[in-house]
Amino acid sequence: MEHPPYLAAQELELLLGDPEDPGTAFSRARCLELDEGEEFPADLCRVLERWGLQEYYVPVEHGGRLTDYETIMQVMRVVARRDLTVAVGHGKTYLGGVCVWIAGTPEQARGLADDIRAGLPVSLALTERAHGSDLLAGEVSGEPDGSGGWRITGEKWLINNATRGSLLSVLARTGEDGGPRGFTVLLVDKRRLAAGDHYRHLDKIRTHGIRGADISGIAFDGAPVPADAAVGGEGGGVETVLKALQLTRTMCASLSLGAADHALSLALDFAERRELFGRHLVDLPQARHTLACAAADVLAGEALATVAARSVHTVTEELSIAAAVTKYLVPTGTETVIAELTRLLGARAFLKDVHARGMFQKVDRDHRIVGLFDGNTLVNLNSLVNQFRSLARGWQRGTGDTDGATRAFDLAAPLPPLDPARLSLVARRGSGIMATLPASVAALRAEATRRPELKSALGPAERLLAVTGRVHEAMDAYRTVVSDVPPAAFDVARRYSLCLAGAACLGLWAHNQRAAGEGRTGALWREGVWLWPVLDRLLVRLGEPAAGDPDAYPALLERLRAARETGELFSLLPLRLGGATPEGTSC
């Protein structure tokens, strides 16, 4: 089954060529060289810009190539699989512009689109040294200048591309008392300001991972900003940012997916070559199980992220749920994958010049930052806790946009354009994705009566449905929680996230298993080869007793090895890798 978003990603993948060939512009060797020197990957960004990656940051209605969020997620996954530093450094421009796409005027959108398409970096300036994720505590102020504009004063810190960016979307306090209506997003164009007088750049912060990225800051000193710089109107900044974060949190999954792809391929190559006790590591039972569990976790993240990216268009009013779950679960799932594979590689996971030039330790370092972008784990879980009332009520009543969820599941269904006006801070009728779970289990049950080979996947699906009911019951104790969230509520939100991921996986399989079973990845779909271990892994992470069925994993491991052997990405849908030579040097 060839799927258009993967075909777009395939185009970029093949253009970039074999990453193991040091003669290619975007080679592993070059990425490691830049990382070692903590140098911004400007030359690699230019390679992407010649292809037109920046066009994908601009919605098609403003002259760009961003037609749907599933496509940009897969395209950015290609970049992240090559080098997270490049993906973070270049992709930040989308984050910088998203507030304008959501709430800007046609004139703002047109001007910003022209700048982005010309290759100008854009940044999103939210956080401050003293306040972190607490946006309502922000002190950067926009004082009225008497002619409808503002003068910005204060410091934004830990800002990606603060120094390189020509334009910044700055969240500034424009109401003296602050509060939800006391902040405004101001689109600041540094080209119109006097460096040294109106602003100064803060020093680059040295980071453990993504060493070459421009993680710095900017300090304003009465910087003049005209009236037409306000995005979404004066006082609408917090609402605009929170809606924008629903999109950016969903898209952060591409960074984690790319890192997981890379880490898994490095570990598999090592296991295929490393000899212990007279056998290859990949032939030892514990190593086989570790690889298969990692493979299942990677596919679980891919399935959830795919449904979430499509739900941007089809279940827009409920994106606050899908985005929070995706931003929490995909990065933490990838962290788990990397941690498990680290134990498989042993010392070679940390060494620079042994296996694959030491690329594994770079992937590990680089990915640790992803869980902190656009709201960390606790921020995203807290946003779910705040919606427990509507989520529990929706589950009991079977409400939520189930039609929109079904369109998100069905990869053959065309995606409508995103209507930003449909974004909501609260999913008032619950989650349509979650509400489809009983029907998806029933569909699998009916299919298993005709195809006995699916009965193995049916067992964990039935158990997941039962767990999901208990999780929603547990929400009742926290329906009125607003602040001072107890630790137990966060654990309920964590369990809810895993259940929603299961609903996404079941929905995706049920609506595509026939068509997908005919393609190059068809062996994954037939007989529930990916579905069974993915559901089993979700039950393990839910702490369910007797989860971790060893019989669920051998077939998946063989598909992982076959994909690597044939030069295909190990994924739910086909994508041929640029350069079929397995990575690694000596073991």
Side-chain angles (χ1 to χ4, degrees):
M1 176 182 179
E2 291 192 332
H3 190 43
Y6 285 72
L7 293 176
Q10 176 85 83
E11 179 185 330
L12 177 58
E13 172 70 23
L14 295 181
L15 173 78
L16 295 178
D18 185 354
E20 290 306 303
D21 179 0
T24 62
F26 206 141
S27 67
R28 303 283 192 224
R30 179 58 177 156
C31 293
L32 288 166
E33 178 186 5
L34 291 167
D35 181 71
E36 192 69 22
E38 301 188 20
E39 181 182 348
F40 187 84
D43 55 335
L44 304 185
C45 289
R46 285 193 291 271
V47 171
L48 299 174
E49 286 163 6
R50 285 195 293 270
W51 180 73
L53 179 60
Q54 68 275 17
E55 299 274 347
Y56 283 94
Y57 305 152
V58 178
V60 66
E61 60 267 30
H62 302 308
R65 298 174 67 184
L66 176 53
T67 56
D68 67 89
Y69 282 81
E70 188 186 5
T71 297
I72 182 57
M73 183 179 73
Q74 292 301 333
V75 168
M76 290 305 300
R77 180 183 181 184
V78 170
V79 182
R81 186 161 57 248
R82 300 276 175 146
D83 187 7
L84 269 172
T85 302
V86 179
V88 168
H90 199 278
K92 183 63 178 183
T93 288
Y94 170 76
L95 276 65
V98 67
C99 289
V100 174
W101 311 145
I102 287 176
T105 65
E107 292 76 19
Q108 287 173 332
R110 185 163 53 248
L112 182 61
D114 289 343
D115 283 335
I116 291 177
R117 293 174 65 204
L120 268 68
V122 184
S123 184
L124 178 63
L126 296 183
T127 56
E128 300 176 15
R129 195 185 300 262
H131 307 299
S133 298
D134 188 358
L135 300 182
L136 293 180
E139 298 179 55
V140 170
S141 65
E143 297 287 339
D145 65 0
S147 60
W150 296 268
R151 290 191 175 276
I152 302 179
T153 299
E155 177 187 292
K156 291 291 185 180
W157 186 67
L158 284 186
I159 306 302
N160 189 0
N161 281 349
T163 299
R164 293 183 65 255
S166 298
L167 299 108
L168 301 95
S169 295
V170 179
L171 183 66
R173 181 186 290 258
T174 51
E176 184 176 349
D177 297 329
R181 302 298 299 177
F183 292 81
T184 304
V185 173
L186 299 175
L187 187 60
V188 177
D189 188 341
K190 290 195 296 188
R191 295 169 298 181
R192 300 180 180 179
L193 302 177
D197 292 331
H198 295 144
Y199 73 91
R200 59 183 172 84
H201 296 132
L202 306 182
D203 290 342
K204 170 181 162 60
I205 304 298
R206 298 189 67 188
T207 51
H208 181 60
I210 59 169
R211 291 174 174 171
D214 171 20
I215 307 297
S216 54
I218 187 168
F220 298 101
D221 186 9
V225 178
D228 62 4
V231 179
E234 184 174 356
V238 172
E239 181 177 356
T240 295
V241 166
L242 291 178
K243 288 180 176 179
L245 287 175
Q246 293 179 20
L247 298 175
T248 63
R249 286 169 178 169
T250 305
M251 289 301 99
C252 277
S254 64
L255 304 177
S256 292
L257 293 179
D261 292 338
H262 195 180
L264 184 58
S265 67
L266 289 166
L268 177 61
D269 290 344
F270 175 77
E272 294 280 11
R273 298 177 180 194
R274 177 67 167 163
E275 290 188 13
L276 287 173
F277 313 114
R279 302 166 67 185
H280 283 100
L281 185 59
V282 75
D283 295 323
L284 299 179
Q286 184 57 43
R288 292 174 64 83
H289 188 65
T290 297
L291 286 167
C293 288
D297 288 347
V298 169
L299 295 186
E302 180 181 20
L304 172 60
T306 297
V307 171
R310 291 177 62 82
S311 72
V312 167
H313 302 267
T314 67
V315 203
T316 312
E317 293 89 346
E318 299 173 7
L319 190 59
S320 61
I321 301 301
V325 168
T326 302
K327 180 57 175 65
Y328 158 64
L329 210 54
V330 180
T332 56
T334 296
E335 289 170 5
T336 298
V337 166
I338 293 174
E340 292 296 325
L341 296 177
T342 294
R343 285 186 274 275
L344 183 72
L345 271 71
R348 287 161 179 80
F350 304 96
L351 302 178
K352 287 187 176 183
D353 299 315
V354 182
H355 176 62
R357 305 184 185 89
M359 183 59 84
F360 191 91
Q361 55 84 28
K362 173 171 161 50
V363 175
D364 185 8
R365 287 187 288 104
D366 288 349
H367 182 262
R368 296 187 188 193
I369 194 67
V370 178
L372 305 179
F373 283 148
D374 299 353
N376 60 29
T377 291
L378 292 180
V379 168
N380 286 286
L381 291 178
N382 191 77
S383 71
L384 293 174
V385 173
N386 291 339
Q387 299 184 70
F388 273 4
R389 179 188 295 274
S390 61
L391 292 176
R393 185 171 58 238
W395 174 257
Q396 293 165 358
R397 298 175 179 177
T399 58
D401 187 358
T402 54
D403 289 340
T406 297
R407 293 196 301 276
F409 297 148
D410 185 358
L411 298 180
L415 294 174
L418 168 64
D419 178 4
R422 293 173 55 202
L423 289 167
S424 172
L425 300 183
V426 177
R428 303 186 184 282
R429 298 177 62 243
S431 168
I433 293 173
M434 190 71 92
T436 64
L437 180 57
S440 293
V441 174
L444 177 58
R445 189 183 304 119
E447 194 74 15
T449 61
R450 299 186 294 272
R451 299 164 57 191
E453 66 272 16
L454 294 176
K455 289 183 179 179
S456 297
L458 179 60
E462 299 273 17
R463 294 174 65 191
L464 178 70
L465 180 58
V467 174
T468 301
R470 296 196 296 271
V471 168
H472 282 89
E473 290 173 3
M475 290 179 174
D476 285 337
Y478 309 105
R479 284 189 176 203
T480 59
V481 169
V482 177
S483 59
D484 297 325
V485 179
F490 283 109
D491 187 60
V492 174
R494 178 190 67 83
R495 291 169 59 79
Y496 176 89
S497 298
L498 291 164
C499 292
L500 189 135
C505 291
L506 277 161
L508 193 68
W509 184 87
H511 287 85
N512 301 283
Q513 50 101 5
R514 294 191 185 280
E518 301 300 321
R520 298 203 308 270
T521 56
L524 275 173
W525 293 80
R526 295 189 294 271
E527 301 180 10
V529 167
W530 74 264
L531 183 63
W532 181 14
V534 163
L535 294 179
D536 189 68
R537 283 293 294 166
L538 291 173
L539 291 172
V540 169
R541 295 165 72 181
L542 281 161
E544 287 300 294
D549 187 344
D551 293 335
Y553 298 91
L556 186 65
L557 177 59
E558 293 314 306
R559 299 322 311 161
L560 170 64
R561 298 179 72 182
R564 193 71 179 137
E565 180 69 24
T566 58
E568 294 273 348
L569 176 67
F570 178 70
S571 65
L572 294 173
L573 296 168
L575 190 150
R576 187 168 299 280
L577 295 171
T581 303
E583 297 176 50
T585 54
S586 62
C587 293

